[in-house]
Amino acid sequence: MDERMMMELLDRYYTVWQEYNYVYEEWAKAHGLSVNALLVLSAIHEGRDCTQKKISQRWMIPKQTTNMVLKDFERKGYVEMLPMQGDKRNKVICFTPEGKEYADAIISRLREVELFAVVEMGPERMEQLTRNMALFAELFRTGGPQE
């Protein structure tokens, strides 16, 4: 395959990647959220000793951005930050009753739409998509020229 063909494939990948991101941004915006706020809301909804650091690591969002989103959710009365048992430096993020109701409505609808796409694609294509994206990321991370 010549370089021109490889660049065309790469351009098509970029277009699809940007479209993927755009779909989530538009979905979040339709629900009054930024995509980062949607990701933070989703992470808290998943539960499991949710901390600011874990959210930042899980979704690769800068800590400062995560903190800003959490402060906004706290100001709106959606979350509270409680001292973590055994580690007073970190705080566990929990929904208030109002926040749980708010998040349940948004995240349940998000999962419904996402699962529709997964079902329509089928398990084999979904698994293939995941494997291929993971492979691209790994090759990009390790295979390029080192500066």
Side-chain angles (χ1 to χ4, degrees), residues 14-101:
Y14 291 153
T15 300
V16 171
W17 178 34
Q18 290 300 328
E19 184 176 344
Y20 179 87
N21 289 328
Y22 179 77
V23 166
Y24 272 90
E25 287 171 12
E26 288 298 303
W27 199 93
K29 191 186 311 179
H31 291 83
L33 298 166
S34 68
V35 74
N36 286 329
L38 179 64
L39 296 174
V40 170
L41 196 68
S42 178
I44 301 167
H45 196 264
E46 289 172 4
R48 297 176 274 183
D49 292 330
C50 192
T51 65
Q52 181 177 325
K53 182 178 180 179
K54 286 182 181 179
I55 294 170
S56 294
Q57 289 173 339
R58 163 91 167 92
W59 291 108
M60 297 178 195
I61 302 171
K63 287 181 193 175
Q64 185 176 5
T65 302
T66 302
N67 185 57
M68 196 171 67
V69 169
L70 289 171
K71 292 293 182 196
D72 184 51
F73 284 163
E74 189 175 38
R75 184 182 54 76
K76 291 176 179 175
Y78 294 155
V79 300
E80 54 188 356
M81 298 183 214
L82 307 170
M84 188 175 229
Q85 295 212 350
D87 184 0
K88 301 298 181 196
R89 295 172 302 155
N90 284 310
K91 295 185 188 252
V92 176
I93 301 152
C94 303
F95 284 126
T96 62
E98 297 83 10
K100 178 149 179 40
E101 185 177 323

